[in-house]
Structure formats: C-alpha cells, structure tokens
Amino acid sequence: MSYKYHQFQVVGRGLPTETDEQPKIYRMKLWATNEVRAKSKFWYYLRKLKKVKKSNGQMLAINEIFEKNPTTIKNYGIWLRYQSRTGYHNMYKEYRDTTLNGAIEQMYTEMASRHRVRHHCIQVIKTATIPAKLCKRESTKQFHNSKIKFPLVFKKVRPPTRKLKTTYKASRPNLFV
Amino acid sequence: MPFKRYVEIGRIALVNYGKDYGKLVVIVDVIYQNRALVDAPDMVRGQMNFKRLTLTDIKIDIKRVPNKKTLIAAMEAADVKSKWENSSWGRKLIVQKKRASLNDFDRFKVMLAKIKKAGVVRQELAKLKKETA
C-alpha cells in the first residue's frame, strides 16, 4: 500500500551566535508528501512558535517514520485546526485504519470532501491511537464488534484487469451478490 | 431473496482484482465499511477493499485477528482447500487454469478426445433413433 502522506521527524535549531552558543533544538513530527515539503513545513511551524527562520537556522535531521504494526487495525484520533471560508476552527476526527499514514490520508480526503478544505489549510495538532472504549464517534464504534457480520449488498462486476475492459457488453450484469 | 454470504470474521473470499488475483483469503477483521483485513497462509496480513473480494460459501471458525499459526491450523481443521476444490466454483477455476496452460500437443490431445466423445455420443443417438423409428 503506498501512501501519499509520509510521516517525517524533523529536527532543527537556530544557528549558534555569539550570544547563544547552544541554541535549543526543536523536533517536530509532521506529514508531507516528500522530504522537501516536510522541511519547508517544519520552518513554517517553527517560525510561528519561535523567533527563528530558515535563513538563520539549520536542519539537523530528517527521518521518515514508518508504522510499527501495519498489520493491526487501530482507531486513530486526529485533532486538527483548519481554515474555512469564515475563520479558523478546531476539529477532532476519528478514523479506523491499519497505519497512521493511512488515517491521515483519510482525514485529508474527508476534509476536502465534507468541508471543501484543501491540504494547505489544515494543520494537524495531535494524533493518537485511541483504545476502543474511548472512541467518541459512532461511525468508528460500530465496527468495534468481534462478531461483526454484514452482507455485501451491491456487487459490481469488474474485469480482473484494465486490459479486459470493454465499452459494450452483451448482457446486463447481475448485481446481486 | 435474503443474503446468504456475509462479510464476517472467518469468511473465505476470492480476490478478483489486482496483484493477488485468484487467491483465497480469509477475512480476519473489518477495518471500515469498505475495507477488510485479510490474511492467507502465503501472504503478509494486509488490508483489501471489499470491491476486490468475492465472498464464497466457506467460513472458518476463528477469533478476531488470529496469528498466522492459529489461522493455518483453523484452515486445516476446516479443510478449506479440499472444500474449495470440490465445490463447483473451485472446479471451474481449476479447469480454466488447466485450459489456459495447455501447450499445442495437449490441445491436439484434447481435440482427439473431443472427436472420440462426439463419435460415441452419435453412435448411441443413432441406436436410440433406430429403436424409436
């Protein structure tokens, strides 16, 4: 599964000056499509929090963070701050996914579809894996059932490869499972 | 018509699209409305969209997300492989695969066998015709 958003750990600090020989080192975890964007985003956030810019700062390390257990399903809670047409709002969203990158990707696509918020207007405040008992949203809680059972109601008949796709078919497909 | 094949933990499904086309996998957990965590004895446990799966009639008895050993043991206990190969769907797939992998000599042999079978059928038909006539 290739994900669009990768998680990076970016470490940087201001450049050492005569007054400040050992400036404080700041570390940030953020999501970006590639390393270049991650570094840029890091300076964006750091500028807002501390009096340091990319021109008088240095990047110490940037590493990609991979999911430790991509084969287990987890409930992710994401706190975000987004800019709508009228102002800034905070939001808390829950997603069920196997990896954090997948959950973040779900979040970005959902915000775009439900609230018309584009990627650059979203700031991820915090993410956490939530144990099943503490989930708040009904749509995630409905899958917390060890005896889950539901039928697939609508079966779309697909050719197994794109090559075998034809525009015209001889008969109407049977959509019943 | 009520539904007979449900998405549930332990349901065997056939992959009908993508890299693992034709594999039998077990639905090990449900992630979301349209994704499931699937597992098979010869692949790493991963997620798959329901659109890529066709449910079968076979279901095995497992708990949520078992580890590989328990899964393989449960599949042996339920005898999934032989149930699949004896079902009409499974048999059709085997025949399809066989037909696709024939070489020219095999196809020649098939042609001879078909001619022979048609000859025998026609003899019987002629006999029956003579009796009624």
Side-chain angles (χ1 to χ4, degrees):
Chain A
M1 267 279 334
S2 71
Y3 293 104
K4 194 160 147 218
Y5 293 99
H6 299 267
Q7 189 182 10
F8 293 97
Q9 170 191 266
V10 189
V11 184
R13 67 169 188 174
L15 287 169
T17 63
E18 302 99 40
T19 47
D20 192 2
E21 291 292 314
Q22 298 272 17
K24 247 204 184 140
I25 304 180
Y26 297 101
R27 177 189 91 121
M28 219 181 149
K29 285 204 247 182
L30 28 89
W31 278 268
T33 42
N34 52 32
E35 277 190 15
V36 174
R37 285 220 170 123
K39 285 196 256 187
S40 168
K41 225 28 190 192
F42 171 76
W43 289 121
Y44 165 79
Y45 283 118
L46 208 55
R47 257 198 338 257
K48 298 198 176 289
L49 299 167
K50 300 284 162 200
K51 194 104 163 117
V52 63
K53 288 179 171 187
K54 183 172 172 204
S55 51
N56 51 17
Q58 57 187 180
M59 189 71 60
L60 295 172
I62 172 163
N63 310 97
E64 185 166 354
I65 299 178
F66 298 98
E67 182 74 27
K68 209 188 244 183
N69 284 327
T71 54
T72 52
I73 302 174
K74 297 170 271 287
N75 308 296
Y76 291 101
I78 302 179
W79 285 260
L80 51 129
R81 173 178 187 249
Y82 74 99
Q83 182 180 22
S84 71
R85 293 176 193 150
T86 35
Y88 283 90
H89 310 272
N90 293 333
M91 227 185 219
Y92 166 69
K93 284 191 159 292
E94 275 179 12
Y95 297 100
R96 241 172 98 80
D97 203 316
T98 49
T99 64
L100 187 47
N101 290 349
I104 292 282
E105 194 169 337
Q106 268 187 297
M107 182 272 290
Y108 275 117
T109 52
E110 190 178 345
M111 290 301 288
S113 69
R114 292 220 148 100
H115 306 281
R116 302 295 193 252
V117 176
R118 275 97 202 169
H119 160 85
H120 54 266
C121 295
I122 294 176
Q123 299 177 357
V124 175
I125 302 171
K126 179 172 128 169
T127 63
T129 17
I130 315 264
K133 269 192 261 293
L134 304 174
C135 281
K136 280 172 53 176
R137 304 287 183 244
E138 276 304 317
S139 58
T140 41
K141 288 209 292 204
Q142 72 183 350
F143 290 99
H144 292 155
N145 177 7
S146 66
K147 293 197 195 46
I148 193 164
K149 178 172 161 173
F150 54 89
L152 289 179
V153 177
F154 178 79
K155 176 182 83 159
K156 179 175 165 189
V157 186
R158 276 207 291 192
T161 56
R162 291 290 303 273
K163 230 195 228 171
L164 299 167
K165 187 167 91 140
T166 55
T167 330
Y168 299 103
K169 304 252 177 250
S171 49
R172 289 193 109 178
N174 177 21
L175 300 169
F176 184 72
V177 181
Chain B
M1 289 181 281
F3 297 100
K4 285 208 213 84
R5 295 178 186 162
Y6 292 85
V7 168
E8 47 197 333
I9 295 171
R11 172 71 56 183
I12 307 275
L14 185 68
V15 180
N16 62 20
Y17 192 89
K19 197 164 59 94
D20 302 314
Y21 177 65
K23 266 213 209 141
L24 278 183
V25 292
V26 186
I27 293 177
V28 149
D29 201 353
V30 172
I31 300 175
Y32 221 57
Q33 191 189 338
N34 36 26
R35 281 192 285 164
L37 200 60
V38 297
D39 205 356
D42 57 343
M43 73 181 230
V44 181
R45 198 192 310 157
Q47 64 170 352
M48 229 180 233
N49 196 321
F50 285 127
K51 290 188 181 176
R52 291 199 176 189
L53 300 173
T54 348
L55 306 178
T56 65
D57 291 320
I58 310 173
K59 177 180 180 305
I60 64 178
D61 198 11
I62 49 170
K63 290 218 174 4
R64 251 195 57 189
V65 193
N67 50 16
K68 247 333 195 285
K69 266 199 309 198
T70 339
L71 179 73
I72 295 181
M75 285 185 88
E76 296 290 316
D79 212 6
V80 167
K81 203 155 185 287
S82 70
K83 266 201 219 156
W84 177 244
E85 283 167 8
N86 294 336
S87 70
S88 56
W89 186 357
R91 271 185 279 139
K92 271 193 275 190
L93 285 186
I94 293 176
V95 168
Q96 274 178 8
K97 265 205 206 105
K98 196 110 205 302
R99 288 219 179 116
S101 68
L102 292 175
N103 61 24
D104 191 56
F105 185 46
D106 289 329
R107 272 173 282 163
F108 179 69
K109 284 192 273 184
V110 169
M111 178 189 76
L112 291 184
K114 271 197 195 165
I115 292 173
K116 216 182 202 170
K117 176 178 126 181
V120 171
V121 167
R122 220 170 290 161
Q123 271 187 337
E124 288 298 319
L125 186 62
K127 261 193 242 163
L128 287 173
K129 266 206 201 146
K130 245 208 246 168
E131 282 169 24
T132 54

